[in-house]
């Protein structure tokens, strides 16, 4: 009965695979890519079961799907894979501390130190003056692919800073501002636009906010230049809120 010949190495193998899948799931949780990952994982598990049961026809079909899934994973996650391989090939990998620091891009929890109150306070002030603004709060998914379209910055969040960025005569006011943890990391960022049909009262800022939240798990706050209305966008959808305090609570909830 080779099928039930279960050794310690088999147990170790299954445990390590389980841990790996768990951390990959945490990394992708809340993103569009998670559905693709879960689908590929399920196909692979079914493939291994049919292979063990010697169901040759079904396993051969699933083998083709698994091969295609591997290619899809390489395409979808190629920025993360490239960064990881570059890290492995770096000269600093001999240093344990350096190695751990370079693995920070795999973090799965966003820092709770984002000064949400300052962001919302700045948006309220800009709302009263009808100053258009688009703020993107980065979460688990890297936004490096859009940051490079703008100007890099490394400034801690405060109300005057955000107001000065979006002041109509400021050279930085066009485009989006990206926040990571408690720092403004990029300004004048051009975001991908959504093809979704939205009410005519919403402009390019809102279409861009929907576009980036459709592709990543970030949160967007948009201030309309025409009406001064503040909008919260996540997962390509507008989220309703009743007050400044409610908006703060909703953003904090998404960042936890």
């Amino acid at each position: 009965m080779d099928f039930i010949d279960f050794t310690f190495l088999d147990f170790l193998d299954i445990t390590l695979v389980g841990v790996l899948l768990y951390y990959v799931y945490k990394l992708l949780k809340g993103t569009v890519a998670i559905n693709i990952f879960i689908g590929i994982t399920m196909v692979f598990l079914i493939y291994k079961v049919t292979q063990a049961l010697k169901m040759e026809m079904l396993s051969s079909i699933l083998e083709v799907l698994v091969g295609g899934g591997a290619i899809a994973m390489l395409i979808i996650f190629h920025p993360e894979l490239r960064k990881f391989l570059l890290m492995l090939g770096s000269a600093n990998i001999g240093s344990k501390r350096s190695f751990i620091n370079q693995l920070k891009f795999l973090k799965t929890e966003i820092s709770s130190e984002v000064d949400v109150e300052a962001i919302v306070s700045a948006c309220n002030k800009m709302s009263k003056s009808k100053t258009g603004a688009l703020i993107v709060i980065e979460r688990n998914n890297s936004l490096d692919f859009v940051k490079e379209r703008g100007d890099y910055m490394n400034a801690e969040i405060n109300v005057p800073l955000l107001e000065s960025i979006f002041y109509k005569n400021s050279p930085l006011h066009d485009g989006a501002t990206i926040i990571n943890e408690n720092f403004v990391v990029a300004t004048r960022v051009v975001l991908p636009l959504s093809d979704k049909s939205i009410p005519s009262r919403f402009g390019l800022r809102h279409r861009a906010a929907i576009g980036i939240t459709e592709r990543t798990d970030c949160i967007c706050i948009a201030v309309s230049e025409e009406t001064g209305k503040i909008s919260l966008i996540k997962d390509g959808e507008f989220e309703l809120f009743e007050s400044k305090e409610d908006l703060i609570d909703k953003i904090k909830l998404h960042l936890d």
Side-chain angles (χ1 to χ4, degrees):
M1 298 290 291
D2 293 336
F3 182 67
I4 59 173
D5 185 14
F6 194 76
T7 66
F8 173 75
L9 288 178
D10 295 324
F11 171 77
L12 181 62
D13 187 25
I14 293 172
T15 301
L16 291 176
V17 170
V19 170
L20 175 63
L21 291 176
Y22 170 73
Y23 279 104
V24 171
Y25 172 77
K26 286 189 69 178
L27 178 66
L28 301 177
K29 184 180 179 181
T31 72
V32 176
I34 187 61
N35 294 327
I36 299 172
F37 173 74
I38 292 174
I40 292 173
T41 301
M42 291 181 64
V43 171
F44 179 76
L45 291 175
I46 296 172
Y47 164 65
K48 296 305 290 185
V49 170
T50 57
Q51 194 178 46
L53 296 174
K54 301 186 184 303
M55 300 170 67
E56 295 182 4
M57 183 176 293
L58 184 57
S59 64
S60 63
I61 294 173
L62 292 174
E63 185 176 8
V64 175
L65 295 177
V66 169
I71 296 173
M73 294 278 279
L74 288 174
I75 295 172
I76 295 168
F77 305 117
H78 99 269
E80 289 78 11
L81 289 171
R82 180 175 179 273
K83 189 170 184 178
F84 181 70
L85 292 173
L86 285 172
M87 181 269 294
L88 288 178
S90 69
N92 294 327
I93 198 169
S95 168
K96 181 179 179 181
R97 179 175 297 179
S98 176
F99 179 75
I100 292 174
N101 287 336
Q102 291 185 72
L103 279 174
K104 285 183 179 179
F105 80 97
L106 289 174
K107 64 183 179 181
T108 60
E109 299 295 335
I110 192 72
S111 171
S112 61
E113 297 302 317
V114 178
D115 192 348
V116 178
E117 287 82 0
I119 296 172
V120 173
S121 179
C123 287
N124 272 317
K125 289 188 175 184
M126 291 186 285
S127 173
K128 292 176 181 178
S129 62
K130 292 188 177 180
T131 300
L134 179 53
I135 297 173
V136 182
I137 304 177
E138 188 172 3
R139 296 179 66 224
N140 297 320
N141 294 160
S142 171
L143 296 177
D144 288 348
F145 71 102
V146 290
K147 289 176 190 173
E148 62 188 15
R149 303 178 187 177
D151 298 326
Y152 282 98
M153 182 181 283
N154 185 29
E156 191 169 359
I157 293 172
N158 58 63
V159 175
L161 172 65
L162 293 174
E163 285 188 287
S164 64
I165 288 173
F166 291 107
Y167 177 62
K168 64 179 180 179
N169 291 328
S170 167
L172 303 177
H173 81 281
D174 283 331
T177 287
I178 296 179
I179 291 173
N180 181 267
E181 296 186 357
N182 202 41
F183 289 85
V184 174
V185 294
T187 58
R188 292 207 312 157
V189 176
V190 178
L191 299 179
L193 299 179
S194 173
D195 295 327
K196 181 182 292 187
S197 177
I198 62 175
S200 58
R201 66 180 181 274
F202 296 119
L204 284 178
R205 283 190 183 88
H206 298 84
R207 190 171 290 281
I210 293 173
I212 192 63
T213 56
E214 284 176 332
R215 293 165 173 80
T216 70
D217 68 343
C218 68
I219 301 169
C220 286
I221 307 169
V223 181
S224 172
E225 192 171 359
E226 288 72 29
T227 65
K229 183 176 176 61
I230 301 173
S231 300
L232 176 64
I233 300 100
K234 184 179 182 293
D235 296 329
E237 301 290 343
F238 289 92
E239 293 207 356
L240 301 177
F241 57 91
E242 298 178 354
S243 63
K244 172 183 175 181
E245 291 71 25
D246 188 26
L247 175 58
I248 291 172
D249 290 341
K250 283 183 178 293
I251 295 173
K252 286 185 175 180
L253 180 64
H254 291 317
L255 293 179
D256 287 340

